[in-house]
Amino acid sequence: MIESTMPGKLFGVGLGPGDPELITLKALRTIRQAHVVAYPTAKHGQSNARCIVNLELTREQIEMPMIYPITTESTGHPGGYEAIIAQFYDQMAEQIAAHLLEGRDVAVLCEGDPFFYGSFMYLHDRLAHRFSTSVIPGIPSVMAAAARLGTPLVRRDSELTILPATLSEDALTARLNPHDAFAIIKLGRNFTKAKNALSRAKVSDKALYIERATMSQERIVPLSEVNSPSVPYFSLILVPDSRQSQHSDIVNSPGQVAVVGLGPGSAEWITPEASKHSLRRPIWLDTSDIWIEFHFDPVSVVSDLTTR
């Protein structure tokens, strides 16, 4: 027992999408300093949250696995899934409260962000009014997926909608449209339903699939090639908005550097060739005797640059 009359502090720690290097410095410091580290885990298999911070835990810390009584299987509980999960969080909250009352600080690990479909929020509901509580945000999977897929999600006044694939196919179809951006999360067994909704909403051609973004088992494949039975829970579909980059007119063509001689000074001495280049929205650099005009592709400027 820690010699303290003061209750411990509760921390909900967002771990980000899975890559240990994407954990924030504040989250790492909190985990290292906590007396108790709690993390969710299934009955069979390792805890993904614990795996992310495995190298940060010490022997002096008390580990508290929170073993889910049910994940995707059916239950015979009279109250169904919601009732058995509520009972589980009640029990976990009391176990954490016991540590806090003994003066121990408790860090509850949460993949992604604690308040973005995170499991910690259910413990927060039960404990935050009783104990000093801090929530440390993490990078959500949607943002990590966009980075790994190399695609901006929304531009200017476009909207981004997050849709859980647990919605019905009709509900998903009704919310999708060809103009705005969408992220469909919690795929797993719901993948086929989500794929059908994308097709019905006529946005399948823009949809991008990724599973386990930033993790060592990350996988990116075309939507049409995804094997439905093997889709993991940690997978999602992004539908970027339909707006094009402001530089789309130059991104798809090779760049060019043109050195343009302007003659002795009067505009009448400029040749037709020089005039043609001067009308192409150049970037001008004054070098006294000549002007250097750059036309370039910002994405492939090194490999595609040509000179004349």
Side-chain angles (χ1 to χ4, degrees):
M1 174 177 175
I2 295 176
E3 297 181 0
S4 173
T5 57
M6 294 293 293
K9 295 182 178 181
L10 174 64
F11 297 90
V13 184
L15 302 180
D19 183 347
E21 293 187 339
L22 292 177
I23 304 174
T24 66
L25 295 175
K26 187 169 186 176
L28 281 178
R29 177 174 57 78
T30 301
I31 293 168
R32 290 166 180 164
Q33 294 177 351
H35 304 111
V36 181
V37 179
Y39 47 82
T41 184
K43 289 181 180 179
H44 309 289
Q46 294 181 321
S47 164
N48 287 323
R50 189 192 186 283
C51 287
I52 295 172
V53 299
N54 178 49
L55 298 178
E56 304 299 331
L57 303 181
T58 67
R59 293 181 179 180
E60 291 74 25
Q61 291 175 311
I62 300 171
E63 293 192 30
M64 180 184 157
M66 300 185 296
I67 304 173
Y68 284 118
I70 187 173
T71 49
T72 59
E73 65 271 22
S74 59
T75 176
H77 193 287
Y81 176 85
E82 294 297 334
I84 195 171
I85 286 297
Q87 185 179 31
F88 163 72
Y89 281 117
D90 287 342
Q91 295 171 351
M92 293 303 101
E94 288 310 307
Q95 290 184 31
I96 291 171
H99 285 296
L100 294 170
L101 289 171
E102 292 292 326
R104 302 185 185 97
D105 292 340
V106 180
V108 181
L109 307 183
C110 186
E111 294 154 271
D113 183 271
F115 282 173
F116 184 74
Y117 293 99
S119 56
F120 174 74
M121 68 179 69
Y122 304 107
L123 297 171
H124 185 274
D125 291 343
R126 291 163 170 79
L127 295 170
H129 63 287
R130 298 171 56 190
F131 302 96
S132 174
T133 304
S134 295
V135 178
I136 301 172
I139 299 173
S141 59
V142 172
M143 298 300 101
R148 296 298 298 154
L149 289 165
T151 181
L153 279 178
V154 284
R155 304 176 190 274
R156 295 172 62 82
D157 56 353
S158 295
E159 298 178 358
L160 170 63
T161 302
I162 311 295
L163 299 172
T166 49
L167 295 174
S168 70
E169 182 178 320
D170 287 341
L172 288 170
T173 304
R175 287 165 171 78
L176 294 166
N177 67 67
H179 309 294
D180 293 314
F182 299 88
I184 304 179
I185 63 175
K186 301 184 179 183
L187 291 178
R189 298 180 304 168
N190 300 296
F191 173 78
T192 300
K193 177 174 54 176
K195 184 178 179 181
N196 291 341
L198 290 165
S199 178
R200 289 172 58 187
K202 295 180 172 49
V203 293
S204 293
D205 59 327
K206 299 194 304 175
L208 305 171
Y209 172 87
I210 184 170
E211 58 190 50
R212 300 186 175 94
T214 79
M215 303 181 192
S216 58
Q217 310 96 327
E218 177 186 292
R219 183 167 173 261
I220 299 173
V221 293
L223 188 66
S224 59
E225 298 179 13
V226 177
N227 181 24
S228 299
S230 66
V231 172
Y233 178 81
F234 291 105
S235 59
L236 58 84
I237 294 171
L238 294 185
V239 182
D241 74 11
S242 59
R243 295 176 183 267
Q244 296 297 313
S245 167
Q246 294 179 359
H247 299 289
S248 60
D249 57 332
I250 60 173
V251 166
N252 295 322
S253 60
Q256 182 184 84
V257 172
V259 179
V260 183
L262 301 181
S266 174
E268 64 184 8
W269 291 100
I270 298 178
T271 66
E273 182 72 5
S275 296
K276 179 182 70 174
H277 283 284
S278 67
L279 294 175
R280 295 176 57 195
R281 291 180 295 168
I283 297 174
W284 294 102
L285 296 179
D286 185 357
T287 59
S288 298
D289 295 326
I290 63 171
W291 294 80
I292 300 178
E293 177 191 36
F294 295 98
H295 304 276
F296 56 90
D297 179 342
V299 174
S300 55
V301 63
V302 175
S303 60
D304 291 340
L305 199 62
T306 59
T307 306
R308 68 177 189 178

